[in-house]
Amino acid sequence: MTTPTLSAKEARLLALYACGLDSRQDQSVLDVITRFGMLQIDSVNVFERAHYMPLFSRLGTFDKSELDSLTGGKNPTLIEYWAHQASFIKTEDFPLFGWRMQHYKNGAARPASFENEHKKLIRWIIAELASNGPMTAAQFEHEENKRKGSWWGWSNVKTALERKIDQGEIIAAGRTNFSRIYALPEQVLPKKILNKTVDHHSAQMKLFGNAARLMGVGTVRDIANVYCIYPSEAKPIVADLVELGIVKEVTVEGWKEKAYLHKDFFNFDFKSVKPSLTTVLSPFDPLTWQRERASRIFNFDYKIEIYVPEPKRIYGYYSLPTLHKDKLIARIDLKSDRQNKALLVQSAWHETTLSTKEIAQASTPVAKHLKDIQKWQGLESLNVKPKGNMSLELASKLV
């Protein structure tokens, strides 16, 4: 049987359509999260926290409280767990991650593990939660609740809490001022979730079927990346998905590895896809979170430069991939100067492959989008700094 072939353009259109970036397909926050299967959380707030940004890219100037209202409290619609890194997932999907919780429990059983070395502390933490209800890490009064160094220098109390979250024995019960609230599962989850178990193979088949749909078309590595497992672990799962007809093997023009097309797109009408969006993307948007895939599909080599020393940065601290129709055309470094109520474009760089005509055509919708961002952030002014090969063009469109 001949393996179907997709052109490079068809793969690009499908990648946009599958993750909801060809046009405004989704109508609500929950629509977007259902499409993704998760929403990655990040603490960096120089422009906007990363979990709000993929929603803005797809919904426009949405009210951030729509997301906030779905999290926290008793029986929330969304809960945090390790899906694609730290993420919001639908609470009804929480039992699907039992295989990952068991993986962490297996690690905890090792003689030299943190848990075995701090059994007494962990028992005390569980007792405190049982007695007091949900608590932030700072509310635990214990001599071992002292930070070790800076940044990720967690105290033993914080480390214990996070280890138990990994194992599902403690859960996230929302956040306050972005500090995670910890709780026992029975303090937050309804019995139908607490009592539900899904065998590990069935859970992985469902999750990685969803991952294949989110990619539209992807390699084993692409699909594995969605839930952050090694490609070698994902390979047999993908083989089972092929066996069940959930995906089928295809070849893609210019791709070196085998690709897999989700069943929702077996008879896809590529002519119906009319990419129309112009939007900045979160560094953790599904379209760009895997550097190699963004390069392969869009010829766009993206690396977030937050952790790059300033003298070595090329595009800026928080430079954001910028989509215009079916191409990633630029990187724009944004900062919300909340004290002065200004949106700062620290730099703007278009891709060097763009022609003069393409730059001129794209700069007007990009400038309009920046005004939409300013409105969404509730800022009073928009200032473009003269750094980058697109900054003067953008500034001229904002006069």
Side-chain angles (χ1 to χ4, degrees):
M1 187 174 182
T2 305
T3 303
T5 299
L6 299 183
S7 69
K9 181 178 180 180
E10 287 173 334
R12 184 170 70 251
L13 292 175
L14 188 51
L16 290 167
Y17 180 89
C19 75
L21 279 174
D22 65 307
S23 62
R24 294 242 153 88
Q25 303 177 33
D26 298 313
Q27 303 299 313
S28 71
V29 165
L30 205 54
D31 284 347
V32 177
I33 296 173
T34 299
R35 177 186 295 276
F36 289 3
M38 85 298 290
L39 183 66
Q40 186 175 347
I41 302 167
D42 191 73
S43 61
V44 175
N45 198 26
V46 62
F47 161 55
E48 180 55 87
R49 297 198 193 278
H51 41 286
Y52 294 112
M53 292 173 59
L55 302 171
F56 171 70
S57 296
R58 290 158 178 81
L59 302 174
T61 53
F62 80 106
D63 186 342
K64 290 186 289 185
S65 67
E66 185 183 344
L67 172 61
D68 300 339
S69 67
L70 298 174
T71 67
K74 182 76 173 176
N75 192 18
T77 302
L78 303 176
I79 194 170
E80 292 182 37
Y81 192 64
W82 289 98
H84 184 86
Q85 308 295 336
S87 305
F88 290 120
I89 61 170
K90 293 168 74 171
T91 304
E92 65 191 60
D93 291 340
F94 189 68
L96 295 175
F97 291 89
W99 57 275
R100 177 155 280 168
M101 297 171 197
Q102 188 60 53
H103 167 77
Y104 287 120
K105 288 175 183 177
N106 292 344
R110 294 171 186 152
S113 69
F114 176 91
E115 290 85 345
N116 273 312
E117 293 176 355
H118 296 85
K119 289 181 178 179
K120 183 177 179 181
L121 174 63
I122 290 170
R123 285 197 298 269
W124 177 83
I125 287 171
I126 298 294
E128 285 291 290
L129 289 173
S131 177
N132 301 326
M135 300 167 65
T136 64
Q139 290 176 312
F140 288 88
E141 297 181 2
H142 196 283
E143 61 183 7
E144 292 197 55
N145 199 9
K146 294 179 181 178
R147 182 182 289 274
K148 300 175 181 179
S150 58
W151 200 240
W152 294 113
W154 288 346
S155 70
N156 284 339
V157 168
K158 173 71 172 176
T159 299
L161 289 164
E162 292 296 322
R163 295 291 182 93
K164 288 301 170 183
I165 279 214
D166 294 346
Q167 297 161 31
E169 294 177 11
I170 289 175
I171 63 172
R175 290 180 180 252
T176 177
N177 297 323
F178 207 69
S179 293
R180 184 176 277 162
I181 301 170
Y182 300 88
L184 301 178
E186 60 270 22
Q187 293 170 333
V188 172
L189 299 177
K191 288 184 178 180
K192 66 179 181 179
I193 300 295
L194 287 170
N195 297 333
K196 185 175 181 179
T197 58
V198 184
D199 75 84
H200 293 181
H201 182 259
S202 297
Q204 289 180 326
M205 290 288 285
K206 181 173 177 58
L207 290 172
F208 286 89
N210 292 344
R213 186 177 60 234
L214 176 61
M215 295 295 97
V217 61
T219 65
V220 168
R221 188 176 302 275
D222 296 337
I223 295 168
N225 179 260
V226 174
Y227 289 104
C228 294
I229 71 169
Y230 294 112
S232 58
E233 296 178 64
K235 192 172 182 179
I237 303 171
V238 173
D240 287 345
L241 292 173
V242 172
E243 184 72 21
L244 290 176
I246 295 170
V247 301
K248 69 179 177 182
E249 185 179 324
V250 297
T251 59
V252 178
E253 177 189 0
W255 291 23
K256 296 178 181 179
E257 298 180 41
K258 294 178 182 178
Y260 297 88
L261 182 71
H262 189 270
K263 65 179 182 179
D264 285 3
F265 310 113
F266 284 180
N267 299 302
F268 191 66
D269 180 10
F270 290 97
K271 292 181 180 178
S272 68
V273 183
K274 309 289 185 184
S276 60
L277 291 184
T278 298
T279 181
V280 296
L281 302 175
S282 162
F284 312 116
D285 195 286
L287 194 71
T288 53
W289 63 23
Q290 188 182 359
R291 185 178 182 182
E292 186 274 332
R293 185 171 189 265
S295 177
R296 178 176 6 111
I297 296 179
F298 294 96
N299 192 29
F300 187 85
D301 186 20
Y302 175 69
K303 178 182 179 182
I304 188 170
E305 296 185 329
I306 289 175
Y307 305 111
V308 176
E310 187 172 1
K312 295 184 178 181
R313 289 179 196 143
I314 300 172
Y315 300 108
Y317 179 82
Y318 208 60
S319 61
L320 305 176
T322 305
L323 175 71
H324 177 58
K325 296 184 177 178
D326 68 336
K327 295 181 180 179
L328 292 170
I329 61 160
R331 304 144 204 264
I332 300 178
D333 185 14
L334 293 181
K335 179 178 180 178
S336 292
D337 182 353
R338 297 172 181 89
Q339 183 175 353
N340 295 306
K341 298 183 179 180
L343 177 65
L344 306 180
V345 179
Q346 306 278 61
S347 67
W349 302 85
H350 65 71
E351 291 294 274
T352 56
T353 54
L354 266 61
S355 66
T356 302
K357 181 180 179 181
E358 287 174 320
I359 296 164
Q361 289 175 337
S363 60
T364 296
V366 171
K368 179 181 180 299
H369 181 62
L370 291 172
K371 294 296 291 184
D372 290 339
I373 292 172
Q374 176 194 337
K375 177 182 177 183
W376 180 52
Q377 290 288 289
L379 301 171
E380 296 176 357
S381 62
L382 172 56
N383 303 321
V384 181
K385 295 187 177 182
K387 183 177 181 181
N389 60 10
M390 197 180 186
S391 59
L392 295 180
E393 184 80 22
L394 285 178
S396 71
K397 301 294 172 65
L398 292 166
V399 175

